[in-house]
Amino acid sequence: MSFLIDSSIMVTSQVLFFGFGWLFFMRQLFKDYEVRQYVVQVIFSVTFAFSCTMFELIIFEILGVLNSSSRYFHWKLNLCVILLILVFMVPFYIGYFIVSNIRLLHRQRLLFSCGLWLTFMYFFWKLGDPFPILSPKHGILSIEQLISRVGVIGVTLMALLSGFGAVNCPYTYMSYFLRNVTDTDILALERRLLQTMDMIISKKKRIAMARRNLFQKGEVNNKPSGFWGMIKSVTTSAPGSENLTLIQQEVDALEELSRQLFLETVDLYATKERIEYSKTFKGKYFNFLGYFFSIYCVWKIFMATINIVFDRVGKTDPVTRGIEITVNYLGIQFDVKFWSQHISFILVGIIIVTSIRGLLITLTKFFYAISSSKSSNVIVLLLAQIMGMYFVSSVLLIRMSMPLEYRTIITEVLGELQFNFYHRWFDVIFLVSALSSILFLYLAHKQAPEKHMTP
Amino acid sequence: MASLDRVKVLVLGDSGVGKSSLVHLLCQNQVLGNPSWTVGCSVDVRVHDYKEGTPEEKTFYIELWDVGGSVGGASSVKSTRAVFFNSVNGIILVHDLTNKKSSQNLYRWSLEAVNRDLVPSGVLVTNGDYDREQFADNQIPLLVIGTKLDQIHEAKRNEVLTRIAFLAEDFNAEEINLDCTNPRYLAAGSSNAVKLSRFFDKVIEKRYFIRDGNQMPGFPDRKRFGGGVLKNLHYD
């Protein structure tokens, strides 16, 4: 009986998450595009719903809500469904939509998308070989095999995003890095842009007029035909046709220049807006946060290095350690069991919420930047795949932040994975990502001011 | 000096509707082989015979400014785009017949272009929603072009065309529906070609011939008007 009640609660919450994912898709991601294939929207919302359910189960675990056997059952069910989606459905549909875009292969769409999916599966399987993630006693199609591979990809993604985010966050928040842009700079650049457009126009007018004259004289399609024609074309060429190719080349160069000037102007406007924003109250607050985050970022890089160098993996979670410190050093006595439950609930809750929110915002920004009306379906599915893998590996890593008694459910459900490996892998990728982001931002920052030196 | 003798027509629309293909078709009379993303603005020039076939025939250069981007973009992109919307003589609004959103976005596009060029006769407060009264005042000729006609099924064609007719009525503009990969839609003598010609004639008229009821171009800066086409060649 209680199992039915628990299941109905789970199903209701899943429907709620599904609705939220649907709304997010319609209002945020696809607000400038038209949804023609509802399959994409459904898949995205389903992935989102099941990912959120996993987090919900963790919270229930900590709070002790619902029957523990029904929790276990739902864990297993949820995991199976998510793996099914991430490994079978989404990659297949990605292949299908990619193939649909290519006109040539339109006929045998299904065939080619199956082929693509099989290639994906092959590489996906091969991915597991170089990593010491499994003990060899598991079968081929067990959950552990799939989860371990999904976990590797997901952890890599998480570490890449974390590394870049940790460096980019202080860079964007702090106004120390803002280049100085004045209105005159922008006006000068705009004037150059318009002048370039004028030059392009005048050259194109010449080409158009010359072409029209040729057409009226009936010489437009006079390609030299035959052997004698070729000899003739070498010695005498139609008057002005050489000039045309020359002018066309100049036009191409000018068009390239106009594109660069446009992008630079956009950049200057964006910087000017950021400068204005930094003068407001909110901007100053973010500036202060930026200093705080830069210290946090440096500390994290330091810790990651230490972890790798000294081959150290934390044994206790921060909550228990914090409580130990307060009890032992500060002499404050309180009910450890009670408080550890609530504090870990809050901590894990915060981690979950910020990571979901951060991921959705990053996905949205990414989507706006690179999608076009042709590729929007493929990109959304890719994002759904990334989101699913990210959430699955969050579950893996979150285990570290939870006290021992709550870790058991994850260990039980996910089987005997080498959790320590994942943490080590996270540290390595985080370090690599953070350092290369620093290098990248440094180079970008260095290069930009020199461009605006007006001669 | 660069603003004399200039007939500037903007080509606006969402990304991916086919503006670059359309402009290429209008100016080069050829189909664009490899359409790629337009960054910023690309310009092309069409040689147009004003009042063709009559004794008052004159040749003009019409500049087609194809401004790329999406209507909901970052404000820094919008500010940069605004620099192209100066002194516009005509606007061609392009939308994709297979994509309803692109037709709806035309309202926002036209507001963005028209507001930029507004005569500073007061503060214009707009929340971005379409308001027909703002267009009652609008002097700039508009033309609505729908692309990818070939991708619409015969069965749905009527429904789509009715919807587009309403759209064109809202803008008080003519409408043309075509497929940019097929030049026969704009073949000489077809109704589309006639509409296009009429639109360009209207643009040129508004620019050069109608000045607050004044029919003759009697201003000092119109001195070069009689020189017409030849003078433009020495433009560099």
Side-chain angles (χ1 to χ4, degrees):
Chain A
M1 190 56 217
S2 65
F3 179 71
L4 279 173
I5 301 179
D6 293 343
S7 302
S8 54
I9 297 180
M10 290 306 300
V11 169
T12 333
S13 57
Q14 273 172 353
V15 169
L16 273 174
F17 287 134
F18 181 85
F20 184 75
W22 187 274
L23 272 177
F24 173 75
F25 186 92
M26 289 248 58
R27 294 295 166 81
Q28 286 279 83
L29 280 186
F30 255 50
K31 67 174 183 198
D32 283 334
Y33 298 104
E34 186 170 282
V35 182
R36 248 169 291 172
Q37 313 271 22
Y38 278 101
V39 168
V40 175
Q41 196 168 0
V42 165
I43 291 183
F44 183 85
S45 312
V46 162
T47 318
F48 184 76
F50 279 101
S51 313
C52 288
T53 321
M54 276 200 302
F55 287 127
E56 192 194 16
L57 281 170
I58 294 183
I59 297 278
F60 282 173
E61 190 65 36
I62 297 181
L63 288 183
V65 175
L66 301 188
N67 207 348
S68 91
S69 60
S70 49
R71 277 200 308 247
Y72 182 72
F73 170 77
H74 279 284
W75 259 115
K76 277 274 183 206
L77 178 71
N78 217 18
L79 217 53
C80 286
V81 172
I82 266 235
L83 282 178
L84 206 77
I85 296 178
L86 284 183
V87 175
F88 293 104
M89 279 190 70
V90 179
F92 176 74
Y93 272 110
I94 291 180
Y96 179 76
F97 281 115
I98 290 181
V99 170
S100 307
N101 269 342
I102 308 176
R103 278 209 161 159
L104 287 169
L105 307 171
H106 209 78
R107 286 301 166 89
Q108 295 105 339
R109 266 185 304 199
L110 274 175
L111 198 67
F112 276 105
S113 40
C114 284
L116 268 179
W117 181 78
L118 285 171
T119 339
F120 165 77
M121 279 309 286
Y122 175 72
F123 282 114
F124 184 70
W125 210 257
K126 277 290 173 195
L127 191 65
D129 291 341
F131 295 112
I133 30 185
L134 288 180
S135 28
K137 59 183 175 176
H138 289 126
I140 276 289
L141 215 56
S142 61
I143 285 194
E144 285 84 3
Q145 294 267 1
L146 293 176
I147 281 244
S148 58
R149 285 172 171 79
V150 169
V152 166
I153 302 180
V155 165
T156 318
L157 277 169
M158 275 185 81
L160 280 174
L161 282 178
S162 293
F164 183 69
V167 172
N168 197 33
C169 176
Y171 182 74
T172 19
Y173 283 177
M174 281 163 53
S175 50
Y176 174 74
F177 295 113
L178 281 181
R179 301 190 298 278
N180 208 4
V181 169
T182 59
D183 276 337
T184 36
D185 290 335
I186 297 186
L187 278 175
L189 209 59
E190 278 183 349
R191 204 169 40 225
R192 270 181 73 193
L193 180 59
L194 284 177
Q195 275 172 358
T196 317
M197 303 304 293
D198 285 341
M199 288 200 286
I200 296 178
I201 290 177
S202 61
K203 290 200 198 295
K204 286 212 165 166
K205 283 181 183 169
R206 281 164 65 177
I207 297 180
M209 208 30 151
R211 202 179 281 135
R212 183 174 151 114
N213 287 339
L214 281 178
F215 183 70
Q216 280 173 344
K217 281 191 236 160
E219 282 181 50
V220 155
N221 288 327
N222 77 336
K223 286 205 174 55
S225 53
F227 181 68
W228 201 238
M230 265 200 289
I231 302 271
K232 251 210 281 192
S233 75
V234 166
T235 49
T236 61
S237 49
S241 69
E242 295 167 341
N243 275 346
L244 277 191
T245 35
L246 201 64
I247 302 181
Q248 185 61 44
Q249 282 174 354
E250 289 173 15
V251 164
D252 291 336
L254 282 176
E255 283 185 333
E256 186 59 43
L257 177 64
S258 79
R259 279 189 277 271
Q260 281 182 15
L261 287 175
F262 180 81
L263 290 175
E264 276 182 38
T265 317
V266 171
D267 205 28
L268 283 192
Y269 267 113
T271 317
K272 180 172 160 219
E273 276 168 24
R274 278 179 56 195
I275 293 180
E276 279 175 20
Y277 181 74
S278 74
K279 296 197 181 111
T280 66
F281 200 58
K282 250 176 121 176
K284 292 203 172 95
Y285 165 70
F286 275 112
N287 187 26
F288 173 70
L289 267 188
Y291 282 104
F292 180 70
F293 274 124
S294 56
I295 299 178
Y296 172 72
C297 165
V298 170
W299 181 76
K300 273 201 90 165
I301 295 182
F302 183 64
M303 287 309 291
T305 328
I306 297 263
N307 279 344
I308 297 175
V309 168
F310 290 116
D311 198 21
R312 181 182 82 96
V313 183
K315 290 289 180 213
T316 53
D317 57 295
V319 177
T320 319
R321 202 151 17 106
I323 293 182
E324 275 173 13
I325 295 178
T326 42
V327 166
N328 292 339
Y329 290 102
L330 299 182
I332 302 176
Q333 300 284 356
F334 52 90
D335 186 358
V336 175
K337 197 162 179 339
F338 175 76
W339 280 108
S340 82
Q341 182 184 21
H342 281 80
I343 295 182
S344 50
F345 161 68
I346 295 175
L347 184 71
V348 169
I350 293 179
I351 294 179
I352 290 176
V353 167
T354 45
S355 71
I356 294 184
R357 180 178 171 275
L359 183 76
L360 286 182
I361 291 179
T362 317
L363 289 186
T364 321
K365 265 197 262 188
F366 202 61
F367 184 73
Y368 284 160
I370 65 175
S371 79
S372 74
S373 53
K374 275 183 89 177
S375 60
S376 51
N377 284 333
V378 173
I379 294 186
V380 163
L381 286 177
L382 275 174
L383 294 184
Q385 175 92 348
I386 292 178
M387 177 173 70
M389 292 190 168
Y390 187 93
F391 285 158
V392 166
S393 32
S394 300
V395 167
L396 281 181
L397 294 181
I398 232 179
R399 192 181 149 272
M400 218 26 138
S401 314
M402 292 170 27
L404 269 171
E405 59 260 33
Y406 305 124
R407 286 187 202 177
T408 48
I409 183 87
I410 299 185
T411 329
E412 238 181 83
V413 171
L414 295 182
E416 289 177 32
L417 294 182
Q418 308 274 40
F419 289 105
N420 294 341
F421 162 75
Y422 287 106
H423 288 280
R424 177 55 26 79
W425 184 246
F426 182 89
D427 284 331
V428 168
I429 300 288
F430 176 82
L431 201 64
V432 167
S433 163
L435 290 178
S436 36
S437 310
I438 291 181
L439 186 69
F440 172 72
L441 284 176
Y442 175 73
L443 284 176
H445 188 73
K446 237 347 165 72
Q447 191 212 23
E450 282 156 9
K451 278 195 293 192
H452 300 306
M453 288 295 143
T454 42
Chain B
M1 283 299 134
S3 60
L4 292 175
D5 291 83
R6 150 171 276 180
V7 183
K8 179 169 162 181
V9 173
L10 282 182
V11 179
L12 298 178
D14 279 352
S15 58
V17 297
K19 299 186 294 292
S20 307
S21 309
L22 177 71
V23 167
H24 198 261
L25 186 63
L26 288 179
C27 299
Q28 321 262 359
N29 286 322
Q30 278 175 348
V31 174
L32 184 61
N34 53 339
S36 67
W37 202 282
T38 315
V39 175
C41 171
S42 95
V43 196
D44 215 339
V45 169
R46 175 177 163 107
V47 184
H48 177 74
D49 295 315
Y50 173 62
K51 290 219 168 126
E52 190 168 9
T54 67
E56 294 140 14
E57 176 175 337
K58 277 230 164 18
T59 316
F60 281 89
Y61 290 116
I62 303 193
E63 305 164 12
L64 293 168
W65 291 57
D66 163 17
V67 178
S70 74
V71 70
S75 59
S76 54
V77 178
K78 279 197 183 153
S79 316
T80 322
R81 264 206 307 253
V83 91
F84 297 126
F85 296 163
N86 277 328
S87 56
V88 162
N89 304 120
I91 303 181
I92 297 184
L93 296 166
V94 187
H95 65 112
D96 184 347
L97 288 169
T98 62
N99 185 345
K100 255 192 241 173
K101 263 276 167 64
S102 66
S103 325
Q104 287 164 2
N105 282 338
L106 283 186
Y107 296 108
R108 291 160 73 185
W109 274 115
S110 50
L111 273 178
E112 199 179 317
V114 166
N115 280 346
R116 181 64 181 80
D117 211 30
L118 208 56
V119 175
S121 62
V123 176
L124 183 79
V125 177
T126 167
N127 58 356
D129 285 334
Y130 175 65
D131 182 3
R132 201 186 273 238
E133 280 150 27
Q134 286 173 358
F135 279 88
D137 246 358
N138 181 32
Q139 300 285 350
I140 306 176
L142 298 171
L143 177 69
V144 175
I145 296 191
T147 55
K148 308 196 189 168
L149 182 64
D150 55 321
Q151 288 178 24
I152 301 207
H153 270 261
E154 283 297 335
K156 293 182 79 179
R157 211 164 265 217
N158 277 332
E159 174 196 327
V160 169
L161 291 179
T162 336
R163 174 167 60 87
I164 303 304
F166 282 125
L167 183 79
E169 217 178 280
D170 273 342
F171 286 115
N172 195 17
E174 288 276 8
E175 44 145 338
I176 295 180
N177 298 314
L178 47 66
D179 167 22
C180 297
T181 60
N182 193 342
R184 83 172 161 88
Y185 281 98
L186 289 176
S190 66
S191 67
N192 286 337
V194 169
K195 283 187 198 169
L196 199 64
S197 220
R198 261 212 310 255
F199 171 70
F200 286 135
D201 282 350
K202 198 163 146 195
V203 167
I204 294 175
E205 248 174 49
K206 277 245 159 70
R207 174 75 177 86
Y208 286 111
F209 293 108
I210 303 180
R211 271 266 174 183
D212 301 297
N214 224 347
Q215 290 292 324
M216 292 302 292
F219 294 92
D221 61 347
R222 292 279 172 271
K223 249 195 320 224
R224 285 193 354 180
F225 175 74
V229 164
L230 280 178
K231 285 286 175 158
N232 286 329
L233 283 178
H234 305 295
Y235 213 49
D236 281 347

